[in-house]
Amino acid sequence: MAILDDPKTVVRHGYDLVSRAYRSDDATDGEYAEWIEQLESRLRPRSRILDLGCGCGIPLARQLAPNYDVTGIDISPVQIARARKLVPGATFVCADMTMTKFGDATFDAIACLYSLIHLPLDEQPVLLRSISAWLRPGGVLIATVGHHAWTGMEKNWLGVEGGDMWWSHADVETYRRWIAVAGLRLEFERFVPEGKSGHVFLLAQR
């Protein structure tokens, strides 16, 4: 397999190039605002939060770091470098989120917004099982996942030359099953339209 045929290499290289086109330093919370509010309503002071696929730290880490212990993981060195500057009150690690290791019951909440869908399909249920283990009893996962099954790549994403991007979605019924098998209880879901299709926002509890 050539390097740029490897999905994770495509994703890492793509976000390195499109980082600022994807989200500016002063970007608003946008659709994330409601999701962050739902998460915060379930948190205690100084809760530990893991943001998987944290990007440049905006908006989730920026919003939560003043009041909570936030750790962000992202595969893109450019995104992580920006996050460390933009949200100095959080901890950021450049890593493949499927390769990170945490002890059981480490976090009160885990966010996986528009990031699970950048993993190969066979790795997604494995990560969900890890997420379940990392959550404390009663801990919460928020995630955005696919609505319809689809795998593909877009060249020059967001109009950035060379900024190719890759995604892989299962359908929402499959995500419901994976979440249940992981030991999480699905409490809320909502369709998030985008273009001719969309994603699904999910909230599940350990």
Side-chain angles (χ1 to χ4, degrees):
M1 176 183 292
I3 287 179
L4 288 180
D5 288 335
D6 171 50
K8 292 184 181 180
T9 301
V10 173
V11 171
R12 180 174 61 248
H13 180 70
Y15 274 114
D16 281 349
L17 291 180
V18 308
S19 177
R20 293 182 184 280
Y22 182 72
R23 185 153 291 121
S24 64
D25 289 358
D26 59 353
T28 64
D29 291 353
E31 65 185 350
Y32 288 69
E34 180 184 349
W35 305 340
I36 294 171
E37 183 178 347
Q38 285 185 266
L39 180 62
E40 279 203 274
S41 70
R42 295 166 174 262
L43 297 177
R44 299 169 297 178
R46 303 315 307 172
S47 289
R48 296 193 68 188
I49 301 166
L50 178 63
D51 187 3
L52 293 171
C54 63
C56 69
I58 295 174
L60 191 136
R62 177 184 64 186
Q63 182 73 14
L64 298 180
N67 298 310
Y68 306 100
D69 182 354
V70 178
T71 297
I73 307 291
D74 202 277
I75 200 170
S76 163
V78 171
Q79 292 278 62
I80 288 294
R82 289 183 64 207
R84 288 170 177 161
K85 291 180 180 179
L86 293 169
V87 193
T91 299
F92 295 101
V93 179
C94 188
D96 176 345
M97 59 186 166
T98 67
M99 302 300 290
T100 54
K101 305 294 182 185
F102 297 103
D104 289 355
T106 296
F107 296 100
D108 299 287
I110 297 176
C112 200
L113 300 174
Y114 296 109
S115 54
L116 187 69
I117 55 177
H118 284 304
L119 296 177
L121 281 179
D122 62 339
E123 297 185 15
Q124 294 184 28
V126 177
L127 181 61
L128 286 169
R129 291 195 295 272
S130 294
I131 286 170
S132 181
W134 298 337
L135 282 170
R136 293 171 178 160
V140 173
L141 165 69
I142 59 171
T144 42
V145 300
H147 185 247
H148 296 295
W150 176 81
T151 295
M153 186 170 74
E154 183 174 336
K155 294 283 190 180
N156 303 322
W157 188 42
L158 303 179
V160 177
E161 183 68 27
D164 303 341
M165 190 51 64
W166 183 93
W167 299 266
S168 193
H169 301 187
D171 58 53
V172 67
E173 291 81 8
T174 298
Y175 286 110
R176 292 176 187 137
R177 183 173 71 253
W178 286 347
I179 285 169
V181 169
L184 300 167
R185 183 176 70 256
L186 183 62
E187 294 195 350
F188 178 84
E189 71 174 67
R190 175 177 292 168
F191 178 67
V192 182
E194 181 179 330
K196 295 181 180 179
S197 183
H199 300 85
V200 177
F201 171 79
L202 304 174
L203 186 150
Q205 186 173 40
R206 176 77 171 90

